């Protein structure tokens, strides 16, 4: 065999070997790319699953928060209604108390107006001075002067000062 033939055979073998190596390299590379593609697909699916679960959790929390907010608003509304009802009850109670006090005062005034000055002086002298002065304020000024004239001077003086003080308070509150 000649050198040319040997050279040609060696060259052909080298070429065949290079093609075989190239095919093996390409096949290995293709397999690696397939593995990477699968890994990317799995990672993408995991990410999408995570995103979906995160969105579901966020939606659940938002709904729970909205529910709590609605409950709080309902409670606040109920509190405001109760407050308004209580204020109305308080207003009515105060009006009733004023009416009762007015009737009581009118009744006391009527009773004391019919009594004699000496009897009134005896009763009021035995009472607490502030209560006695409140009763006296409900009487006419002529009746008050008659009652004070029938009392002991010390008690009459004390009641006069209290009447003046209560009169000043009534004048300043109006």
């Amino acid at each position: 065999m000649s050198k040319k033939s040997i050279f040609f055979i060696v060259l052909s073998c080298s070429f065949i070997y290079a093609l075989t190596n190239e095919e093996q390299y390409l096949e290995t590379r293709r397999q690696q790319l397939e593995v990477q593609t699968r890994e990317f697909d799995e990672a993408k699916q995991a990410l999408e699953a995570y995103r979906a679960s995160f969105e579901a959790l966020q939606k659940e929390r938002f709904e729970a928060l909205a529910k709590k907010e609605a409950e709080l608003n309902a409670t606040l509304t109920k509190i405001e209604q109760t407050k308004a009802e209580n204020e109305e009850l308080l207003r009515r109670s105060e009006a009733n108390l004023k009416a009762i006090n007015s009737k009581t005062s009118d009744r006391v005034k009527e009773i004391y107006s019919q009594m004699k000055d000496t009897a009134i002086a005896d009763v009021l002298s035995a009472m607490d001075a502030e209560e006695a002065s409140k009763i006296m304020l409900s009487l006419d000024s002529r009746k008050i002067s008659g009652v004070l004239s029938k009392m002991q001077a010390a008690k009459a003086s004390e009641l006069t000062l209290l009447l003046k003080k209560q009169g000043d308070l009534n004048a300043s509150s109006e």
Side-chain angles (χ1 to χ4, degrees):
M1 286 201 202
S2 75
K3 282 186 172 187
K4 279 186 175 181
S5 321
I6 293 177
F7 177 74
F8 184 68
I9 292 174
V10 169
L11 188 60
S12 296
C13 285
S14 293
F15 183 69
I16 291 172
Y17 179 73
L19 281 178
T20 306
N21 263 352
E22 183 73 23
E23 286 176 7
Q24 286 177 348
Y25 172 77
L26 289 176
E27 183 61 28
T28 303
R29 187 68 184 135
R30 186 183 61 77
Q31 289 173 355
Q32 288 174 345
L33 289 174
E34 285 177 0
V35 168
Q36 285 179 344
T37 303
R38 272 194 302 260
E39 289 174 353
F40 286 141
D41 285 342
E42 289 170 1
K44 181 180 175 184
Q45 289 174 356
L47 181 62
E48 288 175 1
Y50 175 76
R51 183 170 31 108
S53 67
F54 178 76
E55 287 173 356
L57 181 63
Q58 287 297 90
K59 182 179 178 183
E60 182 180 313
R61 286 184 179 172
F62 180 75
E63 289 171 352
L65 184 62
K67 183 179 177 184
K68 289 282 187 190
E69 184 180 10
E71 290 172 0
L72 285 174
N73 287 337
T75 303
L76 182 61
T77 301
K78 188 171 183 166
I79 288 171
E80 288 173 355
Q81 288 173 345
T82 304
K83 181 181 175 186
E85 290 169 3
N86 288 342
E87 287 174 353
E88 177 62 21
L89 285 174
L90 180 62
R91 186 190 60 76
R92 281 195 229 153
S93 295
E94 287 174 349
N96 287 339
L97 184 61
K98 282 181 182 179
I100 289 170
N101 286 339
S102 175
K103 284 183 181 182
T104 303
S105 179
D106 291 346
R107 183 82 171 131
V108 168
K109 179 181 177 181
E110 182 182 325
I111 291 169
Y112 277 88
S113 294
Q114 294 174 4
M115 292 172 64
K116 295 193 186 265
D117 293 347
T118 306
I120 296 172
D122 291 341
V123 172
L124 293 180
S125 292
M127 292 178 79
D128 175 60
E130 286 195 31
E131 291 299 318
S133 67
K134 289 178 185 175
I135 291 172
M136 287 185 75
L137 276 177
S138 69
L139 301 175
D140 293 330
S141 58
R142 294 182 79 197
K143 192 74 163 172
I144 293 173
S145 63
V147 171
L148 287 174
S149 68
K150 302 292 181 185
M151 288 184 166
Q152 292 179 354
K155 189 69 173 185
S157 174
E158 182 183 6
L159 288 175
T160 301
L161 290 175
L162 284 172
L163 287 171
K164 180 181 181 316
K165 183 178 171 184
Q166 288 178 354
D168 290 344
L169 287 176
N170 288 343
S172 67
S173 67
E174 293 174 356

